[in-house]
Amino acid sequence: MLFPYGTLPFYKPDMMSRPPQESALGVAEAETLIRRTLRPLGTERVALGAAAGRILRETIAAERDQPPYDRVMMDGIALRHGAPARLPILGTQRAGMPALNLTDPSGCIETMTGAMCPAGADTIVPVERITRVDGVATLEPGYTPVPGQFIHRRGSDCRAGEALLSPGTRLSAPALAVLAGNGVAEVAVSRRPRLAILSTGDELVPVDGPVRDWEIRRSNEEAIAASLALHGFGEAERFWAPDDPDATMAVMTRALAERDVVILSGGVSMGDFDYVPQALEQLGVRRIFHRVAQRPGRPLWFGLGPQGQAVFALPGNPVSAMTCFTRYVLPALTAAEGATESRAVPLALAEDAPRLPDLTRFMPARLTHAASGQTLAHLLPVSTSGDFNHLGSTDGIVEIPPGDGAAPAGSAVTFHGW
Amino acid sequence: MLFPYGTLPFYKPDMMSRPPQESALGVAEAETLIRRTLRPLGTERVALGAAAGRILRETIAAERDQPPYDRVMMDGIALRHGAPARLPILGTQRAGMPALNLTDPSGCIETMTGAMCPAGADTIVPVERITRVDGVATLEPGYTPVPGQFIHRRGSDCRAGEALLSPGTRLSAPALAVLAGNGVAEVAVSRRPRLAILSTGDELVPVDGPVRDWEIRRSNEEAIAASLALHGFGEAERFWAPDDPDATMAVMTRALAERDVVILSGGVSMGDFDYVPQALEQLGVRRIFHRVAQRPGRPLWFGLGPQGQAVFALPGNPVSAMTCFTRYVLPALTAAEGATESRAVPLALAEDAPRLPDLTRFMPARLTHAASGQTLAHLLPVSTSGDFNHLGSTDGIVEIPPGDGAAPAGSAVTFHGW
């Protein structure tokens, strides 16, 4: 099992003497380069049943006045203001029927919540304020209705043509009510990105097979696929390549075909058997940056493929991979969808957080909610970037800018949810 | 279109004179009754690809020590501490291969990040600290490695058998990494509830057809279905019944068949053409409560079917329906799944919120994040409980307990996300 040194393919002798801190971008610079590179996703029309959680790409205007008619707000009777206290009930106005006509201003019409206000009536008296005997309603003694009461006037919520939903909105449950209520059965949303996830490394074995001491199971691709699914990006196709240049080329060619975004994990730390950078170069993927001044996740690589594919090559260590994916890939996909929202939010540190002098630090965190309305981030110290086994109870990562000493408890940091 | 008064089916004369504030439960009591009534959902085993977002129902223990071997943390060379500064490179230890043997303690083995530490070596020197000429590595002048450095010791993250994920955990992306990394290819999760959504009312017309002045489009079912989908409860079957007793019975019989939860909207305000309570009674659905001391959503009805179905009958007004669904149905489903999380969180009011003396008030709110880490709820005053058109930009509802005057800006209220 000893390889003769000179036979290692693609081995680059100068790798062994690279300076310790060669150029690494800042976190913000890296994010800016990604945003400038990633192409906006196109749009597609989907039926309402498939629209929840998608990003709206058109303006939705009110189909008609809301309410579309003078709407009765209470079960009770409709009368003309000034009518006597004893009123014959001349009919029943239920919801879903055209307006009746109150021809006799000394009578009334029984009304149901949501019904049209009968023509000729201008005031609703709730059922609680009347008694009813032999088809005649009598107002409670001393009760004087206010003219126009309990009528929700046509157009008082919004006027036909008013803009109700703007492009870039994530379609929530109430937004679906707005679409449906305004006759929009099909809606323009951002199409989903076509995604590939590619893991590399001889040491990676499937989840459900045997595992030998020197092998590890393919966990990064499961975590990345889960995050994509949970954030509404649909299903990604998955690939795996062993540490072999031809196999890497073959798999990467397939992974790049007709994709918007390719997410690699492993194979980019350099000094590794890194066929990945070689294959990327041969396939015409241009490097935009390599290495970011952060811990974990320093080896992050980002490039642009010949058909405009964005290629993220994440470090192979699980914590590094999830950190880079959550900090860079998810927000980039959200931006490519044209979403106006921001995924990052400021939260308060529950305890002191150690800073690093020249590196942005990411730490997994679990959130709690103080009674004051403040959300607190409790840090989970992980022993190494390979220690993913304790991340299951965390909610995301906090981003701690470079600095001396500790960021004190209570200070605000940026949180990125898994 | 005038109905002779006496011909109205199921009309209850005493309805017209009910007292204005007959018994209504408090919000907390209503929630407790729901929790006591709803049956816990069973479990099922799903493959990892379908497990994201589901609620775990078993304990996941570490398959083996993590790391499973003494793991090299840097690209560089492995040596035995005390070796000379010039060391012949005797081999290459890559990831995914068994440990080599450093037989000569004056030599070294080239190592890659993630590889096993070669037997006989106890210290890693990073590539940045050496130069390499003709198969011999030389340490940087003056550099003294610390014994054991850059070796991530077997079992230092966790020991085989340690509990990593507990029942009740919602399976996040990192939790999927834990499952995969520990050889769990199939996992026990709560099964999804079997759900039906039933809308009633002659005034309700489909989204994509013509709409007359007195008609409104079926929007509640779209909002409820969207919320269920966005919260991972899968697809609900949808039903609609006109205001007709036989049709209501027929549709409701189908909706109740083999369901865990049936969600109705409309038909429960009383004084309406409410065939719904009649049909529920005939089908053996026992009323647990009707009416909650809240605005909007006072007419909320909750019952238990003969096969243990939970039946929520929400008011038909869109804001009331979404409020009751978000405040009661979603948390009840989450509890039935056995989730340990709470959906409700305390947040701070961005402005004064008007209270009601005897009713809990729910108001739609949009959230912003202050730099302090505080999340602020900005209230959206809606003109009536029919005004759903402006909810598209809101994030959920805040719950304002009964009281005199206003709850002041900055005070904490409970927030329920859509």
Side-chain angles (χ1 to χ4, degrees), chain A residues 349 351-357 361 363 379 400-413:
Chain A
L349 283 171
E351 59 243 28
D352 291 1
R355 283 186 286 216
L356 296 166
R361 183 166 198 165
M363 294 185 82
L379 306 178
I400 303 159
D404 295 321
S411 60
V413 285

Side-chain angles (χ1 to χ4, degrees), chain B residues 16 23 38 56 80 92 101 105 128 142 189 249 255 294 303 323 416:
Chain B
M16 293 294 266
S23 66
L38 222 70
L56 182 67
R80 187 173 307 174
T92 300
N101 201 346
E128 292 86 354
V189 298
M249 271 294 287
Q294 60 188 12
T323 296
H416 310 267

Side-chain angles (χ1 to χ4, degrees), chain A residues 75 112 157 270-271 317 383, chain B residues 71 75 112 157 270-271 383:
Chain A
D75 298 335
M112 303 302 167
D157 288 348
M270 302 293 279
N317 269 328
S383 57
Chain B
R71 188 176 170 282
D75 298 335
M112 304 301 167
D157 288 347
M270 302 293 280
S383 57

